[in-house]
Amino acid sequence: MHFSPRPKRWDDIETLEETDLICWCIGVDKATIVRAIRKGAATLSEIKSTTGACTGDECAQKNPNKRCCSKEIKALIARYGSPKENGHV
């Protein structure tokens, strides 16, 4: 069994495993979003169009954070996007 170094918090991307859902409405996991970012998706809009994440309407019911997953997606873009895409040259 694999243990995370920190307790899992659904609002902290660093504590989530690759198989953990980010978008609970559509069922998109962290690994899928990170793959899209590494393939060039650099904005929330691009993540939406390539993965379908952040396009559902049952966030308050399905997401453990009781809100839209856009905050976590933006954090993943900041963490895994290229420095140029994140505003650093």
Side-chain angles (χ1 to χ4, degrees), residues 8-19:
K8 186 177 296 193
R9 287 186 37 213
W10 296 106
D11 63 341
D12 180 359
I13 61 159
E14 299 298 329
T15 68
L16 301 178
E17 302 293 328
E18 297 297 307
T19 56

Side-chain angles (χ1 to χ4, degrees), residues 36-61:
I37 294 165
R38 289 185 172 148
K39 288 181 178 180
T43 65
L44 180 59
S45 179
E46 290 172 349
I47 293 294
K48 287 180 178 184
S49 67
T50 59
T51 69
C54 201
T55 62
D57 62 359
E58 298 179 280
C59 309
Q61 296 82 21

Side-chain angles (χ1 to χ4, degrees), residues 2-22 30-31 34 37-38 65 67 71-81 86:
H2 173 64
F3 293 98
S4 296
R6 293 186 264 176
K8 186 177 296 193
R9 287 186 37 213
W10 296 106
D11 63 341
D12 180 359
I13 61 159
E14 299 298 329
T15 68
L16 301 178
E17 302 293 328
E18 297 297 307
T19 56
D20 285 331
L21 291 179
I22 298 294
K30 179 179 176 179
V34 171
I37 294 165
R38 289 185 172 148
N65 296 316
R67 59 170 169 71
K71 180 179 177 182
E72 287 72 34
I73 293 172
K74 289 176 183 178
L76 288 169
I77 293 168
R79 171 76 170 81
Y80 294 100
N86 290 328

